[in-house]
Amino acid sequence: MYGKFQKHLQDELAAIKEAGLYKNERNIASPQSAEITLEDGSKALNFCANNYLGLADNPRLIAAAEKAMKARGYGMSSVRFICGTQDIHKQLEKAISDFFKTEDTILYASCFDANGGVFEPLLTAEDAIISDSLNHASIIDGVRLCKAVRYRYANANMEELENCLKEAQAQRFRIICTDGVFSMDGNVAPMDKICALAEKYDALVMVDESHSAGVVGKTGHGVAEQFNCYGKIDIFTGTLGKAFGGAVGGFTTGRKEIIDMLRQRSRPYLFSNSIPPMIAAAAIEMFKMLSESNALHDKQQENVVYFRDKMMAAGFDIKPTQSAICAVMLYDAPLSQKFAAKMAEEGIFVTGFYYPVVPKGQARIRVQLSAAHEKAHLDKAIAAFIKVGKELGVIK
Ligand SMILES: *Cc1c(COP(=O)(O)O)cnc(C)c1O
């Protein structure tokens, strides 16, 4: 039976390879950090992790995780509502609510699950979801699982959003949903304008803070801080897998009745395992660390400015960024792949993106800056960019 299906898969895989879209993985044999060691013993500087605050190998978080594992065990072997809730899960939910200044929080195994489980329990075919065209795949999937009428507006385009809102007056309830930071350009969603339109057209607002929390805002508290729109965003989703330690776990935080309803009806919460005690405890410690000092956030921001300014001075075309993401525009797809490969030869890991991940003719190298990077790391990366850029005729 497998024979015909095997042939089908082999052909599909060959087509993916032919199109240059086959994803190979790098096997890292060290902790995630600015400097990593690969399985073959070679070393590289990592500029493509979401480790924005450099916490993925933080000793204080590792110690908190070890301590919790000894005190509370390895795993929960249960979903939350049966017997999967410890005191520390509740403490972490409280810490997240405090961070975002919201009423309540619900944990998930990932933000992918948080987004997958947020729409269907709250909205029906009578309602409308209005979604930014560049929203993350997990929001798109979450919207698919819900029967609400769908509207889509071009990335951060407020005119189009307004038109969607006008049309969606036909529905009972409306929700605008957006990423806080869009991962390909590094731009921040204009939350002040989105919240104003939501007020004008009687809509709820949901924002995914995965790339923005810990990074955006004067003290890294995300888009509500950046745009001073506390109290105007009804639902935030986010991940513990990026700036917030980089392990695993997701959450939805916001209005109390919304969170209560998700605890009753959200399927990834009801039917998937609790996060392990060590993650809960380390995440609590992480929020404590962030409340004690803003140094990591400040260093991260300084690194972005330093890198961007030096790259622009060298003649590179850099997208305006307001986040940890710096897009070095090359426009040509094969060039982006060649560039990233040559950077790897120089010991610098960055990612080349091209259509369909970004629009046609908009190929680029995405660089992700972290508090883990020291000036020497940045200088080495910039020097490699200049060397490769000259070799490939991108700069003079
Ligand atoms: C990374 C990311 C997710 C997924 O988060 P996980 O916790 O890894 O599942 C969801 N939404 C956005 C916008 C992201 O960038």
Side-chain angles (χ1 to χ4, degrees):
M1 188 54 231
Y2 185 52
K4 260 200 239 165
F5 189 62
Q6 182 182 34
K7 175 78 175 54
H8 161 73
L9 291 182
Q10 285 169 342
D11 291 348
E12 290 267 302
L13 286 164
I16 293 171
K17 278 187 186 150
E18 189 120 340
L21 295 172
Y22 191 85
K23 295 174 190 67
N24 287 300
E25 298 179 357
R26 292 168 170 137
N27 298 341
I28 300 173
S30 67
Q32 182 67 280
S33 193
E35 286 190 67
I36 50 176
T37 308
L38 302 187
E39 215 173 17
D40 65 3
S42 66
K43 290 193 190 306
L45 294 183
N46 194 354
F47 282 87
C48 53
N50 304 314
N51 185 22
Y52 296 134
L53 297 177
L55 295 173
D57 61 344
N58 183 276
R60 207 169 134 182
L61 301 191
I62 294 167
E66 279 176 348
K67 192 169 154 220
M69 186 153 63
K70 290 203 175 103
R72 294 284 191 283
Y74 173 64
M76 290 308 299
S77 303
S78 172
V79 299
R80 284 287 299 277
F81 83 97
I82 296 183
C83 56
T85 303
Q86 289 174 331
D87 49 354
I88 49 178
H89 292 83
K90 295 311 291 181
Q91 285 163 24
L92 174 57
E93 289 177 340
K94 171 78 168 54
I96 294 171
S97 305
D98 289 347
F99 186 90
F100 287 95
K101 301 193 202 302
T102 46
E103 291 175 350
D104 199 4
T105 299
I106 174 173
L107 295 175
Y108 289 86
S110 68
C111 186
F112 206 105
D113 277 349
N115 287 333
V118 71
F119 300 107
E120 188 257 348
L122 300 173
L123 303 168
T124 71
E126 286 182 79
D127 306 314
I129 301 175
I130 306 169
S131 188
D132 189 289
S133 63
L134 290 190
N135 278 345
H136 190 261
S138 54
I139 296 183
I140 296 168
D141 284 7
V143 171
R144 280 186 187 141
L145 293 169
C146 174
K147 294 201 164 60
V149 180
R150 298 167 203 172
Y151 296 87
R152 211 167 77 124
Y153 60 96
N155 178 233
N157 185 322
M158 295 298 102
E159 235 170 88
E160 283 193 23
L161 171 58
E162 184 158 15
N163 289 335
C164 292
L165 283 161
K166 283 179 185 161
E167 276 185 56
Q169 295 304 307
Q171 277 79 46
R172 179 183 59 166
F173 300 121
R174 289 151 290 285
I175 186 166
I176 304 166
C177 47
T178 180
D179 280 13
V181 162
F182 296 92
S183 65
M184 288 300 143
D185 287 4
N187 58 317
V188 182
M191 293 313 298
D192 48 347
K193 300 196 178 90
I194 289 173
C195 290
L197 284 172
E199 207 148 306
K200 184 169 174 195
Y201 293 96
D202 194 20
L204 299 162
V205 177
M206 177 271 198
V207 58
D208 180 338
E209 290 260 34
S210 291
H211 282 289
S212 43
V215 175
V216 163
K218 201 158 91 36
T219 61
H221 282 239
V223 294
E225 179 182 47
Q226 167 117 342
F227 294 97
N228 191 21
C229 46
Y230 284 109
K232 294 181 183 164
I233 297 168
D234 303 283
I235 302 173
F236 300 84
T237 60
T239 182
L240 301 174
K242 291 185 172 121
F244 289 159
V248 76
F251 56 85
T252 300
T253 187
R255 310 244 186 238
K256 137 170 141 274
E257 297 80 6
I258 290 175
I259 303 306
D260 202 7
M261 186 56 78
L262 294 178
R263 274 192 221 284
Q264 307 312 310
R265 301 240 172 102
S266 181
R267 292 164 69 84
Y269 184 78
L270 295 175
F271 300 111
S272 189
N273 212 17
S274 293
I275 60 165
M278 58 187 150
I279 303 277
I284 293 167
E285 187 68 15
M286 185 274 309
F287 282 110
K288 192 157 163 263
M289 267 177 73
L290 296 189
S291 74
E292 287 165 7
S293 162
N294 204 43
L296 291 175
H297 172 257
D298 292 345
K299 186 174 173 200
Q300 192 281 327
Q301 295 284 295
E302 282 163 25
N303 284 347
V304 175
V305 171
Y306 183 85
F307 180 83
R308 182 200 60 196
D309 288 354
K310 293 252 156 153
M311 287 288 285
M312 283 168 70
F316 284 102
D317 180 0
I318 309 281
K319 280 236 177 210
T321 178
Q322 302 161 291
S323 65
I325 291 159
C326 210
V328 182
M329 299 307 291
L330 298 174
Y331 303 99
D332 181 67
L335 177 62
S336 71
Q337 296 312 290
K338 203 187 258 179
F339 204 111
K342 280 191 171 280
M343 288 295 286
E345 284 169 22
E346 299 293 321
I348 311 289
F349 283 173
V350 290
T351 318
F353 287 110
Y354 59 100
Y355 183 80
V357 180
V358 294
K360 274 210 170 98
Q362 292 282 310
R364 67 196 63 185
I365 300 282
R366 182 177 73 176
V367 180
Q368 293 173 286
L369 284 315
S370 162
H373 294 129
E374 302 300 339
K375 282 273 151 34
H377 298 138
L378 301 177
D379 287 336
K380 201 171 163 212
I382 294 159
F385 262 106
I386 291 171
K387 180 174 175 218
V388 174
K390 283 182 178 162
E391 269 172 36
L392 296 177
V394 175
I395 55 167
K396 289 204 193 81

